Amino acid sequence: MHPAPAPLDCAQTDAELNSILPAMNRLALRMLFGDHAKYLMLISGITFAVILMAQGTSLFCGLMSWTFAPLRNIRVPVWVADPKVEQVNDNKPLRDTDVNRVRSVEGVAWAVPLYQGTTQAKLADGSAKLITLTGLDATTLIGAPTEFLAGGIDGLRLPNAVIIDEYGAERLSDGLGRRLGVGDTFEINDREARIVGVCKAARSFTGGPFVFTTYERAVEYVPSQRKLLTFVLAAPAAGIEPQELAHRIAAATSLAAYTNDEFMWSTVWWYVKNTGIPINVGLIVGIGFIIGTVISGQTFYSFVLENLRNLGALKAMGASTAILCRMLVLQAFSVGLVGYGLGMGVVSLIGRAAIKTGRVPFLMIWPIPVGVLAAVLFICALASVLGIIKVARLDPAIVFRS
Amino acid sequence: MAAPLAPLAPLPAPLALQLTGLDKAFGPPDSRTVALNQADFDARLGELMMLVGPSGCGKTTLLSILTGTLHADAGESNVLGHRLGTLSQAELTRFRREHIGFIFQDFNLIATLSVWENVAVPLLIQGCGRREAEGRARAILAQVGLKGREDEPPKRLSGGQQQRIAIARALVHAPTLIVCDEPTSALDSRTGQQVMELLTSFARDPRRCVIVVSHDPRIYRYADRMAEMEDGRITRVLATPAAIAAAHPSI
Ligand SMILES: Nc1ncnc2c1ncn2[C@@H]1O[C@H](COP(=O)(O)OP(=O)(O)O)[C@@H](O)[C@H]1O
Ligand SMILES: [Mg+2]
């Protein structure tokens, strides 16, 4: 006869059981990982959804950051523009006298003119390319680039001098066979532009490189128009907030005056309202979310269904519904978090590549990983709830039926 | 002065369970299937009680009720001192966890767990630490002759070996009541006999009661007592192996 097993010295109440179930959790994970094919399927559903959602939103933010590139290049406290201007790429010229009107507003420490407009550059091989020409106040050079790859700001006072951005050095070199550098020339509206510096600058939405020069020279470069002053840049005297100054300028001149931040958001909103970008990105993100929900929810649900007999056996053997549900939740969320990690990994690789080329918009601000995580957790919660409904209704007697 | 006691006939072993007047029907009112109709059943500690009858007569339903996995529509079920009809769902769950060992017709092993993990499941459900559970699982696997196979997936073992895993799982937490629903029907005759021999050896423990449901006459000879069932009720109880042999001469 076999010796009877020793009496059990295990915790017995449900409260105790709940606190000592790491072993059951481990069992849940073993049940999950055991089926490699299904596990991979579950993970890839979430991963795919994460990639679509995170990539879509990062692309959107990247594009949006391109729209306010001038605001990233020129960081001044207050921008003054025509009252109808809502975004920084718009060009509705002011009168030249508006600079002085702004200067006369109380609390203005300084105010300088800025020209900004798109025009054509003629390259070495005779072809033409779009550029964004920025004309800076010659005496102060306020808003000039600060980070140079070659040359520098000082040369800008020389005749015909321009500073181009890194992207322009490549983009405007057609027919040259190499990147443009200091000393090279090209033409803007039949006038020579001599490069005295190559700087770093944010990528513009219009696609053209930035070319910086002085305000006076910019005015010479562009085909003659009556009014050319695009913006007045201003700063508050000590003790005055930029926002307060913007209010004062707007009140005194009835021009539009924005702080850098206000102008950025105004620009972003303008593009959101006036382009199809948000709809397209919204579609990508929505599709990612739906695919993630459907694939992962469906796969997890079928995982639960296939395991129903096992779950029923566990229930018959005395596993409470609460414990089985916890096992399901653990399974769903571990799939979700692994998928999230993989997906974000892939997206950050894509992002790195995108940022390196500079041609693909990509900007991952912190709400993106947080939001995508929230979406993944929602998908997991939904999948667990589906499974839990099934398990709660599960009749342990099914294990007796073959 | 009292006279010395004359030797008495041995007392019958105490009852492990007693079911009386059980009714159970399935399905909607207009098309009800009666599974149990005034069924009475009992089993004693230290015996292997066999429940036999044709397919569909209600054996599995009876087993489900006495293990606390299914509620009877009417009747009394007293199992190991518990009146199952009065227990809450949570109490029934705990009752099964502590007192019942299950052996199913198609083993119901979890394919993605190793052999020893399958056996350890009842211990883990009770909150036993993984270490201790593993030790006990390995010890009981050695008792059922599966030493050396503990870390394999169950699918790699033969049908008879898989049923041994199930037996080990049913015994590992030392339950009082071990219920087996057609434990040999998925096995060939010889393997079935081996499994029954193993089960009988465990049933000899006076603290244990083994109930085997079957409609396979080849294993009737392993029963200490036998209840015959037909159309949802117990029609006859054969109280000794001799009576069983007389009633079923084919064995
Ligand atoms: N869950 C259920 N739903 C409907 N009918 C059931 C259910 N379980 C059992 N039955 C019916 O009850 C009767 C008895 O079934 P069962 O107890 O499984 O018999 P046995 O195990 O003796 O073959 C059968 O007619 C069966 O179809
Ligand atoms: Mg049956």
Side-chain angles (χ1 to χ4, degrees):
Chain A
M1 179 166 144
H2 297 279
L8 279 172
D9 179 24
C10 297
Q12 298 294 322
T13 71
D14 279 332
E16 279 170 305
L17 280 175
N18 278 329
S19 67
I20 53 167
L21 280 171
M24 287 305 279
N25 290 339
R26 190 153 164 198
L27 205 66
L29 294 180
R30 294 269 296 124
M31 285 171 74
L32 176 67
F33 300 149
D35 187 346
H36 299 301
K38 186 121 279 171
Y39 181 61
L40 280 180
M41 178 88 173
L42 281 165
I43 297 278
S44 36
I46 292 278
T47 304
F48 189 59
V50 166
I51 291 174
L52 283 184
M53 289 190 282
Q55 181 61 31
T57 44
S58 297
L59 182 130
F60 177 74
C61 291
L63 268 179
M64 288 300 121
S65 77
W66 285 5
T67 66
F68 56 86
L71 292 166
R72 292 161 75 201
N73 290 335
I74 302 173
R75 293 185 183 271
V76 293
V78 174
W79 292 66
V80 184
D82 181 273
K84 292 201 190 67
V85 168
E86 288 174 58
Q87 53 105 346
V88 72
N89 299 307
D90 199 359
N91 188 344
K92 294 193 174 68
L94 302 164
R95 288 172 221 279
D96 289 340
T97 52
D98 284 333
V99 180
N100 281 325
R101 289 178 65 211
V102 172
R103 278 179 186 147
S104 65
V105 173
E106 201 190 326
V108 171
W110 49 256
V112 295
L114 184 84
Y115 170 81
Q116 181 183 269
T118 49
T119 186
Q120 301 279 345
K122 202 160 138 207
L123 313 181
D125 67 350
S127 69
K129 286 243 167 84
L130 200 71
I131 57 167
T132 299
L133 185 63
T134 305
L136 308 165
D137 177 51
T139 29
T140 60
L141 292 182
I142 280 169
T146 49
E147 246 187 290
F148 283 88
L149 300 163
I153 188 71
D154 300 332
L156 205 56
R157 294 202 169 86
L158 299 172
N160 297 338
V162 298
I163 294 167
I164 60 171
D165 65 9
E166 192 182 7
Y167 176 51
E170 193 188 318
R171 178 129 172 103
L172 304 178
S173 67
D174 289 9
L176 200 64
R178 60 170 172 85
R179 291 162 67 90
L180 288 173
V182 171
D184 290 327
T185 61
F186 59 97
E187 281 180 12
I188 303 173
N189 295 322
D190 301 329
R191 303 179 74 101
E192 187 190 58
R194 179 171 297 276
I195 298 166
V196 297
V198 179
C199 68
K200 277 193 178 289
R203 178 80 152 75
S204 77
F205 185 72
T206 47
F210 284 102
V211 175
F212 297 90
T213 185
T214 61
Y215 182 79
E216 288 72 18
R217 205 169 297 129
V219 168
E220 289 170 18
Y221 277 135
V222 291
S224 67
Q225 291 167 16
R226 221 155 38 82
K227 300 190 289 180
L228 287 160
L229 177 63
T230 321
F231 297 112
V232 177
L233 309 179
I240 299 173
E241 289 298 313
Q243 202 161 8
E244 166 63 19
L245 186 70
H247 283 312
R248 286 192 198 175
I249 293 173
T253 62
S254 56
L255 299 173
Y258 300 94
T259 65
N260 207 293
D261 260 16
E262 285 167 355
F263 208 13
M264 179 194 91
W265 285 113
S266 175
T267 302
V268 168
W269 274 116
W270 189 89
Y271 279 90
V272 166
K273 282 184 293 193
N274 293 286
T275 65
I277 300 168
I279 295 172
N280 287 316
V281 172
L283 274 178
I284 295 178
V285 174
I287 288 171
F289 183 71
I290 290 167
I291 286 183
T293 312
V294 170
I295 294 187
S296 316
Q298 158 68 32
T299 320
F300 188 72
Y301 189 61
S302 78
F303 169 79
V304 171
L305 287 187
E306 279 167 33
N307 264 291
L308 220 49
R309 244 189 125 67
N310 290 333
L311 295 168
L314 291 177
K315 210 167 179 177
M317 287 188 278
S320 63
T321 303
I323 285 161
L324 293 179
C325 290
R326 275 179 32 167
M327 291 171 71
L328 285 184
V329 168
L330 178 71
Q331 288 170 334
F333 281 82
S334 64
V335 165
L337 291 180
V338 171
Y340 175 76
L342 283 178
M344 289 312 275
V346 170
V347 171
S348 51
L349 286 182
I350 297 175
R352 265 170 179 237
I355 288 167
K356 213 167 181 182
T357 67
R359 305 285 165 81
V360 187
F362 186 94
L363 178 67
M364 191 182 284
I365 51 175
W366 67 264
I368 293 176
V370 173
V372 172
L373 180 62
V376 167
L377 294 181
F378 172 80
I379 293 172
C380 296
L382 195 73
S384 329
V385 166
L386 286 179
I388 283 171
I389 290 173
K390 203 77 200 166
V391 165
R393 290 197 189 146
L394 176 62
D395 181 359
I398 80 155
V399 289
F400 289 115
R401 318 252 162 241
S402 44
Chain B
M1 262 315 210
L5 284 173
L8 295 172
L11 285 169
L15 284 177
L17 59 96
Q18 185 162 37
L19 315 176
T20 44
L22 289 189
D23 284 345
K24 180 73 191 180
F26 293 102
D30 50 330
S31 62
R32 289 183 86 65
T33 314
V34 175
L36 293 181
N37 177 17
Q38 289 296 303
D40 303 313
F41 180 75
D42 61 42
R44 297 176 189 283
L45 290 174
E47 76 174 356
L48 191 152
M49 178 65 167
M50 205 170 274
L51 178 60
V52 306
S55 197
C57 72
K59 306 182 293 294
T60 297
T61 305
L62 188 70
L63 213 54
S64 307
I65 289 172
L66 73 86
T67 53
T69 47
L70 191 68
H71 266 294
D73 295 338
E76 280 287 318
S77 15
N78 182 333
V79 184
L80 306 175
H82 295 283
R83 291 174 60 211
L84 297 188
T86 66
L87 298 187
S88 69
Q89 205 54 52
E91 287 168 325
L92 284 174
T93 303
R94 184 167 165 190
F95 166 81
R96 294 199 298 270
R97 177 158 77 223
E98 290 174 3
H99 300 301
I100 314 282
F102 289 93
I103 296 170
F104 308 102
Q105 172 177 339
D106 42 7
F107 323 139
N108 270 320
L109 300 172
I110 299 174
T112 51
L113 300 182
S114 70
V115 167
W116 80 257
E117 281 174 317
N118 267 287
V119 173
V121 162
L123 293 175
L124 298 176
I125 290 176
Q126 296 207 357
C128 206
R130 195 169 161 96
R131 274 263 169 86
E132 186 187 349
E134 178 171 357
R136 284 168 181 254
R138 286 181 186 276
I140 197 104
L141 278 166
Q143 282 188 44
V144 299
L146 288 176
K147 201 169 175 57
R149 313 299 301 267
E150 299 96 331
D151 297 304
E152 294 180 36
K155 279 275 146 57
R156 237 188 264 159
L157 280 65
S158 71
Q161 288 169 326
Q162 290 191 43
Q163 195 57 301
R164 281 161 189 264
I165 302 172
I167 291 172
R169 180 177 65 181
L171 292 167
V172 73
H173 54 309
T176 311
L177 194 58
I178 292 150
V179 297
C180 319
D181 196 6
E182 318 228 4
T184 60
S185 71
L187 305 174
D188 64 56
S189 174
R190 211 172 65 83
T191 318
Q193 310 275 336
Q194 286 167 354
V195 162
M196 281 314 293
E197 260 148 42
L198 191 62
L199 271 177
T200 0
S201 73
F202 284 109
R204 297 270 151 66
D205 189 325
R207 287 163 300 183
R208 226 180 246 148
C209 170
V210 178
I211 299 175
V212 177
V213 159
S214 180
H215 64 260
D216 175 6
R218 289 171 304 186
I219 64 165
Y220 287 180
R221 66 192 172 89
Y222 294 99
D224 295 318
R225 285 199 307 145
M226 176 180 282
E228 292 176 344
M229 197 168 183
E230 215 167 303
D231 292 338
R233 63 197 318 160
I234 304 293
T235 49
R236 177 165 67 160
V237 175
L238 303 168
T240 60
I244 296 170
H248 298 275
S250 64
I251 66 174

